[in-house]
Amino acid sequence: MAKVEQYRQLIQELLLAYSEIKASNEEVEAEVIFDRERDRYQLVNAGWSNKRRVYGCVLHLDIKNEKIWIQHDGTEGGIANELISRGVPKQDIVLAFHSPFKRQFTEFAVG
């Protein structure tokens, strides 16, 4: 359980850090969404740019069975690399945006 709490804290720190990155348009706001009860975490951009609605998920991570599931990664560097650099072993990271079949060909957990 200590590992899960460590992962919760790490994910929240990373999402908060990414939310501080300012968009070129100040009318677009980065929103962090933490559901600690269900272990679901998101960073969403919402706002307006040139009279057009902007809304999209930048990051979506879940914790399931003591592993971090990356449901969506819209970062350039890859959130998996950020997690690894902070000590999360690859076998505790699931690239959920890949099909279950394809995951076996990665260095990460399959599920």
Side-chain angles (χ1 to χ4, degrees):
M1 200 60 185
K3 182 166 77 170
V4 171
E5 187 56 41
Q6 176 191 0
Y7 289 171
R8 286 179 181 138
Q9 187 65 35
L10 177 59
I11 290 169
Q12 290 178 73
E13 288 173 10
L14 285 171
L15 267 57
L16 286 170
Y18 272 100
S19 75
E20 295 296 320
I21 299 171
K22 298 295 177 199
S24 58
N25 183 339
E26 293 187 15
E27 292 184 44
V28 176
E29 183 179 355
E31 300 179 4
V32 289
I33 302 166
F34 300 153
D35 180 351
R36 288 181 58 93
E37 184 176 326
R38 293 169 195 81
D39 279 324
R40 302 185 193 292
Y41 306 89
Q42 288 190 346
L43 172 62
V44 176
N45 282 335
W48 292 90
S49 178
N50 297 326
K51 299 180 182 178
R52 298 185 73 179
R53 178 72 175 155
V54 173
Y55 184 86
C57 177
V58 179
L59 286 165
H60 177 168
L61 296 96
D62 297 333
I63 299 175
K64 300 179 188 178
N65 301 323
E66 299 190 345
K67 294 180 183 173
I68 298 173
W69 289 61
I70 302 173
Q71 303 288 357
H72 179 76
D73 183 358
T75 66
E76 290 183 22
I79 196 69
N81 292 328
E82 293 271 353
L83 293 167
I84 292 166
S85 72
R86 286 171 168 76
V88 178
K90 288 181 178 179
Q91 65 265 20
D92 282 357
I93 300 171
V94 178
L95 303 179
F97 52 84
H98 286 316
S99 71
F101 173 77
K102 195 173 180 181
R103 288 180 209 154
Q104 67 182 311
F105 303 112
T106 71
E107 298 175 354
F108 295 90
V110 295

